[in-house]
Amino acid sequence: WGLYNSNLGYVMDYGEDCFENFINFILEIPPVIGKKPYKNEYGKWAHDNNGQLKYKEVNKPQYAIAYNGSRFDFHFVIDELSRRNVEIENLIINNGAILGFSIKHNNLKFWDINQHIAGPLKKALKDFKCDTQKGDFEHFKVKSWTDVYQYKDEWEPYLEGDVLGLSQLVEKYSNTVYHIFDKVNGLE
């Protein structure tokens, strides 16, 4: 597995225990505490005696974004989290595809960008003109754990390119959506 985190950069693991290591890694991500204004019992924004907004501490969302995770990877992640009795929230399933879900204790939200951008990752990276493009790897070469180690020099840059390209795609897609929203709402 591989992932990109804005604080850690590119993180990768492989081997027979890599899936267990991935689950342990995501469960060890600490919550990010932030503050947000809240409404009083009358539905109005709460203020203190000086007229300043009152804030409450909240567990801010963090994101784990996959490409096509809803049809494949998320099923394995949910199964393992359930096996470990991890509380899952906001599970959204449509026709067997897991569109999204959250881990309660650290508010880690899993999201599949492929539900918003159609087609293969390689095409999406090209269409959005990402700096990192998807490479090629002949997946049929890997039939055993021995093969994983034997072909590491081939699949490792492929995986890193997928992860870094995906992080660039998410940023470009998000910027595009925000730009369109601002334009539609006259904020530009």
Side-chain angles (χ1 to χ4, degrees):
W1 58 269
L3 63 85
Y4 178 81
N5 177 291
S6 57
N7 296 324
L8 301 174
Y10 173 65
V11 181
M12 185 265 301
D13 188 27
Y14 64 95
E16 293 181 50
D17 58 353
C18 69
F19 183 68
E20 182 176 339
N21 292 344
F22 172 73
I23 297 296
N24 291 337
F25 182 86
I26 63 173
L27 290 176
E28 291 169 6
I29 295 173
V32 175
I33 304 300
K35 292 184 177 185
K36 99 178 211 185
Y38 63 93
K39 294 185 178 182
N40 62 25
E41 65 270 17
Y42 306 108
K44 306 288 183 189
W45 292 110
H47 291 83
D48 64 18
N49 293 336
N50 296 321
Q52 301 295 315
L53 278 175
K54 284 185 171 182
Y55 292 86
K56 65 179 179 180
E57 285 191 350
V58 293
N59 191 353
K60 292 175 67 173
Q62 303 177 81
Y63 296 92
I65 300 174
Y67 203 86
N68 202 25
S70 63
R71 293 185 193 95
F72 186 71
D73 303 297
F74 290 174
H75 290 271
F76 295 108
V77 173
I78 292 245
D79 285 348
E80 182 61 19
L81 292 173
S82 297
R83 190 185 70 74
R84 295 185 187 197
N85 296 314
V86 174
E87 190 170 353
I88 296 168
E89 297 181 313
N90 306 315
L91 177 61
I92 303 168
I93 300 175
N94 184 20
N95 293 325
I98 299 172
L99 305 182
F101 64 96
S102 303
I103 297 174
K104 183 175 182 177
H105 86 273
N106 59 7
N107 204 10
L108 182 61
K109 297 179 180 294
F110 287 76
W111 181 62
D112 184 356
I113 195 171
N114 190 216
Q115 296 297 313
H116 302 271
I117 299 174
L121 178 59
K122 188 171 198 161
K123 182 179 182 323
L125 295 175
K126 184 177 179 185
D127 291 348
F128 276 83
K129 298 176 178 65
C130 295
D131 293 335
T132 303
Q133 293 296 307
K134 185 171 174 67
D136 293 308
F137 175 70
E138 298 171 8
H139 291 81
F140 68 86
K141 289 181 176 182
V142 178
K143 297 180 179 106
S144 69
W145 286 113
T146 303
D147 295 340
V148 168
Y149 295 102
Q150 179 180 347
Y151 295 108
K152 181 181 177 204
D153 291 343
E154 292 180 43
W155 64 255
E156 193 171 45
Y158 170 81
L159 175 61
E160 184 174 3
D162 270 13
V163 172
L164 296 177
L166 179 58
S167 70
Q168 293 166 13
L169 177 63
V170 168
E171 185 175 342
K172 286 180 176 266
Y173 175 78
S174 298
N175 289 338
T176 301
V177 169
Y178 289 126
H179 176 74
I180 291 169
F181 176 81
D182 285 350
K183 193 172 190 174
V184 167
N185 289 293
L187 300 173
E188 234 180 38

